[in-house]
Amino acid sequence: MKTWRLILVALVAVVPALGITGCSEVDENTVAIGYVGPLTTAAGLYGRNVQRGLEMAVAEINEAGGIQVGERTLELQIQSLDDQYRPDETATGARRLLQQYRTPVIFVSHAGGIRALQGMNTRQPRFLIGGYSSEPTILEAENPLTLMLPPRYDAYAPPFVEIMRERFGPRLGLIPTTTVYGRQWTQVVTAEWERQGGEVLRNNGVDYNTTTDFTGVVSRALSENPDVLFIGGPSQPTGLVIQAAREQGFQGGFLMMDQAKFEEILDVVTMEQLEGAVGVHPQATYPAPGVPGLVERYYERFGSDARTIVSEMAINYQAVHLLAVAMQLAGSTDPDAIREHVDEAAQVLPEELQILDLTSVSSLGQLQRDVYAAQVRNGEFEPFFVPAATE
Amino acid sequence: MTLFLQQLTNGIALGSIYSLVALGLTLVYGVLHIPNFAHGALYMLGAYVAYAMVTAFGAPYFVGVGAAIVALALIGAAVERVAFRPLGTTATPVHFIIVALGLLFFLEGLADVVWGPDFRRVESPFTDVATLFGVNITLHRILVIFASIAVMAGLFYFLKRTITGMSIEAMAQDREGALLVGIDTKRVGMITVALSAALAAVAGALIAPLVLVFPHMGEAITLKAFVIVILGGMGSVPGAIVGGFVLALAETMAGTYVAFAFSELIAFAVLVLVLALRPTGLFRKGV
């Protein structure tokens, strides 16, 4: 009995170790692309939408026979690790990916994690960061190996404010989420609202991830009679805020951060409750040539397991295809060579892969494109153009 | 004034959920001396069972609530038998904490495998809004308040007037004494955890239509429930009820008249104050 137990303990201790050394061998015909993001916790859905976009693009590339890099034909592979939205875990995860899989590119889906990696990606081993965050500060680091995949959020503030002010009136109530991202968005929108001559009411910020009940905070904000509410955080809690506001009789508009997505908010509220909201354009109907094809392929691939199509999925999907083209143009999987060729790749990307209508990649690594947002008017999403923010 | 009444109503609705969750936690602590960190996971499972019944089987909402209570009572009994009892009576609190945390990760992981990380919604049959003296409240919130009060009254009756209930109280007062007068402490222990899980299920299933159902939904409320239980006195049933309402009202009012960013802070400030002035909690005499 005792011997058996000892053997069992030994096995339990040794097997995972074998597992780790076993999979550290990356096949020489495979390039591993890393992803470190929240796969569990309240942000788990967000992180897995990103992961799904990455994996779908890789599967498509491999099914089409891989990529031609120099003389070799390579297959791609995604290696994901969970960081629970914590920057320290992102750094640990990235180190592990570099050691085990020598990943030339690591995707990260939050600003804190991106900034943590910007401290290490220019030392050996160098790697390219696929940064999925709209936070402009990730560009301020002037990191030569960072790509910023979504548009900067400060581009949204001027048109959003203008539309809401004209449509509903001058008083802006604030119920933003209190993450770092949320606070900075609040500063940007407050400054813009005041610049355009409106009045900003008291800040009722709450943490969208830990708040169980939004009725209290909504009551407080509505007691000041706002015309427009600035809200946002993860989509579904944002939906709860909209629901609470409508239930308490709020008739005005909603100015939403880009983290909240209309299509996911609709899981919580009705289109009628969403009337008068402004936010990022729903992905499945985004005006770009590759979108209908993507929607079709997505449902074909995931079938009954498909979730609502959101930009988390689409933008990262697009990015993998972009990097694959860049690797082929560079004839190498070296991170610096890839970075050098992404701008060119953005210009030659086949039309059916143009999910976002990319035009170029800026010197700081921002993916450039024409951005459209949407407001809900008469029960329909009405798209409008968002001019680019200056870097 | 309207704002005050509105916030009072909001606070009472939130407080009734806080109290239900804290009640289950305090029962298990009082009887078995286990700080059950997995309590929030049981609350989460209760919400998921209601969700599954309503969505997958098309059952009416109240059938979903009933199914959640039954399912969680069984899960609670199983948890006691499989996770807590094998530790025996000689285990230190650290052992129980480790087991409870393990259970928390296991149950959250399980929910993630079965239902995924998606946010789920349970439809309530009561979506209309009532307006009284300028106060808006959805009918479902009124239901939550009254159902919680009914459950608490039922629990009081059970503990004070039935043999099983009295043996739970006896065991909470003195485990060895209870053994000496012939109470089957193992059985009572199992009933207590089942009851605690059922209370968590009621709370989870009642609040499900008002919030988002996802694998980690229980974490924030577990933290609150621990504050309430310490506030009211570890193991005290009236303490958990009063504590739940006190905390919810303190949060809502502090949010309204100070700032919502401080409402979490104020919850813990109240806790520190109680610990400093009355370390045994408001409702417990001696430790």
Side-chain angles (χ1 to χ4, degrees), chain A residues 92-141:
Chain A
T92 312
R95 274 190 208 101
R96 215 178 114 189
L97 288 172
L98 291 167
Q99 227 164 40
Q100 276 181 244
Y101 305 104
R102 299 187 293 277
T103 48
V105 181
I106 295 179
F107 282 87
V108 186
S109 54
H110 51 103
I114 294 166
R115 276 144 83 176
L117 296 198
Q118 282 176 333
M120 56 190 270
N121 75 328
T122 50
R123 283 172 281 158
Q124 292 299 334
R126 290 167 75 89
F127 62 95
L128 187 59
I129 300 171
Y132 185 71
S133 165
S134 61
E135 177 63 62
T137 51
I138 65 171
L139 293 178
E140 279 162 21

Side-chain angles (χ1 to χ4, degrees), chain A residues 41-42 44-45 48 202 205-206 210 212-213 215-217 219-220 223 236-237 240 243 247-248 267-268 307, chain B residues 3 6-7 10 14 112 117-119 121 129 136 138 141 207 210-212 214 216 220 255-256 258 260-261:
Chain A
T41 73
L45 177 62
R48 284 199 223 177
R202 206 175 77 153
V206 284
T210 59
T212 314
D213 186 15
T215 47
V217 68
S219 301
R220 176 69 188 78
S223 72
Q236 292 83 357
L240 291 180
Q243 191 180 35
E247 280 170 1
Q248 293 184 30
D267 293 343
V268 179
R307 293 193 188 100
Chain B
L3 179 64
Q6 177 77 54
Q7 298 296 40
N10 293 339
L14 185 63
D112 198 305
D118 307 58
F119 296 90
R121 294 284 288 164
V129 180
N136 295 305
T138 53
R141 266 169 220 278
I207 205 173
L210 301 175
V211 297
L212 303 163
F214 65 105
H216 299 267
T256 310
V258 188
F260 268 93

